[in-house]
Amino acid sequence: MVPLLRRDFVNLSLRNSLHFCKSRVPFSTSLDRKPTINPAVYDFLFHSHNFSPEAAAEAASVINRIKSRKNSDSLFTFLEKNDFSSSHLERIVKYNPSFLSADLEKSVKPKIKIFQELGLSNNDIADLLAGNASILYRSTDKSLIPALSLLRGLLGSDASVGKLLMKSGRFLINDLDKCMVPNIEFLKSRGVPMEQIIAGMHSFPRFLLQKPENVRRSAERAEEFGAQAGSRLYIHAVRVIASMSDEVWERKLQAFRGLGFSDADIVSGFSKYPPAFAASVKKMEAVKSVVVSLGKYDMASVVAYPLCFCCSIENRFRPRMQVLAALEDKMLIKKRPSLATLCSVPDLYFYERFVRPYLDEVGHLFVAKGVR
């Protein structure tokens, strides 16, 4: 009786999963395409390893058979014992369903061991590999070990390498000798100190993994817009332009012009603070609306201090401007601070200068963590 109930349950699950697969096919072809779900694969993933019905059905519609159920079961059981959740495994199998046939002893265990020796926790390793599943298909000896050795030489410790990989596993996917190394050498040749380059690896990992020709082209354009080689902001100028296609960059320039920036203002603003040019057009327009529409600051102030486009509207502009407006209404201040001061000073300074002396009047308008 139990086997019969289990068979009925499997059939019901398969029917539901087949319905799910059909729903993902475009309407015009849904009647023509009926994905065939391999019951053995579905049973293995759904019943034995707790995949969702949808994920199990998707994989079972691609995989014709499991070469060795014993091998696949050993593989998944090993990973589960090392804190890989069903969600982690679903993402890995979705990337490449053939992972069910991966060699546990020769391919998977050596990689897990390398990351454990690097100091990563099992959960960190699971997150890293689920988010960058192609690492599992890289050669341990010819790819992963040389890449880790190179990163260790740059960063100085296993802990730093592990921290970097948790921000971007792409350092183990890209050929570092063809992208990162040439990019680092180029930036050094333009006067960027190594400590700033390393900081950029952590803050903007994708930047150094771009094609070297793209980084060089971006550097040329950054210099056309006033970036000075060897300056503190040079790497940020190159990085901002490298993050956009030519079309997006042109749209960004048009957006600045639409806000009232002249071409000279754009060059000046970019040279002063290039990260401001990474702000979305929507964010730029919102900042202008909040800052300028109230009539307390004009566009000249914005042009002179483009960093304002990087400030949070809800966490910085609105509470501070509400405090200043209340103080003006009560005639407790004669003059507002400059836009640069409004944007740049820490919460503690703003609190001590404009809130603490007038707690009864404006204390309820300003709440900032760690300053009250």
Side-chain angles (χ1 to χ4, degrees):
M1 186 66 179
V2 174
L4 180 60
L5 290 174
R6 175 176 173 78
R7 184 183 64 194
D8 291 341
F9 181 68
V10 170
N11 290 336
L12 176 61
S13 298
L14 286 172
R15 286 197 298 272
N16 291 338
S17 300
L18 183 58
H19 172 74
F20 165 79
C21 289
K22 286 181 179 180
S23 68
R24 298 186 62 173
V25 178
F27 178 77
S28 61
T29 59
S30 61
L31 295 177
D32 300 323
R33 294 183 179 180
K34 295 182 179 181
T36 300
I37 296 177
N38 186 313
V41 175
Y42 183 89
D43 178 76
F44 172 77
L45 296 174
F46 178 60
H47 292 292
S48 299
H49 295 284
N50 300 312
F51 273 45
S52 69
E54 297 81 7
E58 187 171 354
S61 66
V62 176
I63 303 171
N64 294 325
R65 67 187 182 91
I66 299 178
K67 293 181 180 179
S68 169
R69 179 161 180 146
K70 181 179 179 181
N71 176 76
S72 299
D73 192 62
S74 297
L75 171 65
F76 276 53
T77 300
F78 169 79
L79 292 174
E80 288 163 353
K81 288 181 179 178
N82 283 274
D83 295 337
F84 280 69
S85 67
S86 297
S87 177
H88 289 129
L89 296 177
E90 285 178 8
R91 292 165 67 187
I92 292 171
V93 171
K94 183 175 182 179
Y95 172 80
N96 190 343
S98 67
F99 180 72
L100 271 72
S101 300
D103 191 313
L104 173 60
E105 297 298 329
K106 294 182 179 180
S107 179
V108 177
K109 279 188 176 181
K111 294 180 175 67
I112 300 298
K113 183 179 179 181
I114 284 176
F115 294 126
Q116 289 173 336
E117 291 175 345
L118 199 63
L120 295 180
S121 68
N122 285 343
N123 191 257
D124 284 342
I125 296 171
D127 287 341
L128 172 64
L129 296 180
N132 306 272
S134 59
I135 292 174
L136 289 163
Y137 302 94
R138 307 285 285 181
S139 167
T140 302
D141 294 329
K142 296 180 180 180
S143 179
L144 297 186
I145 291 178
L148 290 171
S149 179
L150 175 58
L151 293 173
R152 190 180 294 109
L154 286 171
L155 302 179
S157 69
D158 287 347
S160 295
V161 174
K163 183 178 179 181
L164 177 68
L165 293 180
M166 292 312 299
K167 291 184 177 180
S168 177
R170 296 189 66 82
F171 284 96
L172 297 181
I173 297 172
N174 293 62
D175 188 333
L176 301 186
D177 287 322
K178 292 183 178 180
C179 58
M180 186 187 76
V181 172
N183 287 334
I184 288 177
E185 292 303 318
F186 171 74
L187 292 172
K188 287 169 62 179
S189 75
R190 304 302 291 156
V192 181
M194 196 63 207
E195 57 267 25
Q196 199 175 25
I197 294 174
I198 290 175
M201 290 173 66
H202 286 279
S203 300
F204 309 102
R206 287 181 177 269
F207 169 51
L208 289 175
L209 298 177
Q210 294 193 34
K211 294 181 178 179
E213 54 267 31
N214 184 50
V215 172
R216 288 180 172 82
R217 185 172 59 250
S218 299
E220 292 174 0
R221 175 165 287 184
E223 291 173 17
E224 291 174 359
F225 278 81
Q228 296 294 318
S231 70
R232 180 177 58 86
L233 293 173
Y234 184 79
I235 189 173
H236 298 287
V238 179
R239 188 267 307 171
V240 166
I241 293 181
S243 69
M244 308 179 205
S245 66
D246 291 344
E247 294 76 14
V248 172
W249 175 250
E250 289 302 322
R251 287 201 297 270
K252 185 62 63 72
L253 297 182
Q254 289 299 327
F256 272 95
R257 295 182 183 112
L259 290 173
F261 282 66
S262 68
D263 286 350
D265 292 333
I266 290 173
V267 172
S268 175
F270 186 77
S271 62
K272 285 180 180 178
Y273 198 72
F277 284 65
S280 68
V281 173
K282 182 178 180 181
K283 172 70 178 295
M284 292 161 58
E285 292 173 343
V287 168
K288 177 184 176 180
S289 177
V290 171
V291 174
V292 178
S293 64
L294 296 179
K296 300 300 181 179
Y297 299 100
D298 56 18
M299 273 308 299
S301 300
V302 176
V303 169
Y305 197 70
L307 183 148
C308 66
F309 291 124
C310 299
C311 296
S312 168
I313 293 175
E314 296 303 324
N315 296 328
R316 178 148 297 194
F317 279 123
R318 290 195 192 282
R320 293 187 179 192
M321 294 187 75
Q322 286 175 350
V323 167
L324 295 175
L327 293 177
E328 284 183 329
D329 289 344
K330 298 177 185 296
M331 301 179 64
L332 295 174
I333 58 172
K334 295 181 179 180
K335 184 180 179 181
R336 284 197 174 206
S338 68
L339 181 61
T341 299
L342 177 72
C343 293
S344 63
V345 298
D347 279 340
L348 181 59
Y349 176 93
F350 187 87
Y351 176 78
E352 293 292 343
R353 174 67 179 83
F354 297 105
V355 180
R356 184 185 290 277
Y358 317 105
L359 278 177
D360 292 340
E361 291 82 4
V362 298
H364 63 290
L365 296 175
F366 187 83
V367 178
K369 184 177 180 180
V371 299
R372 299 189 66 178

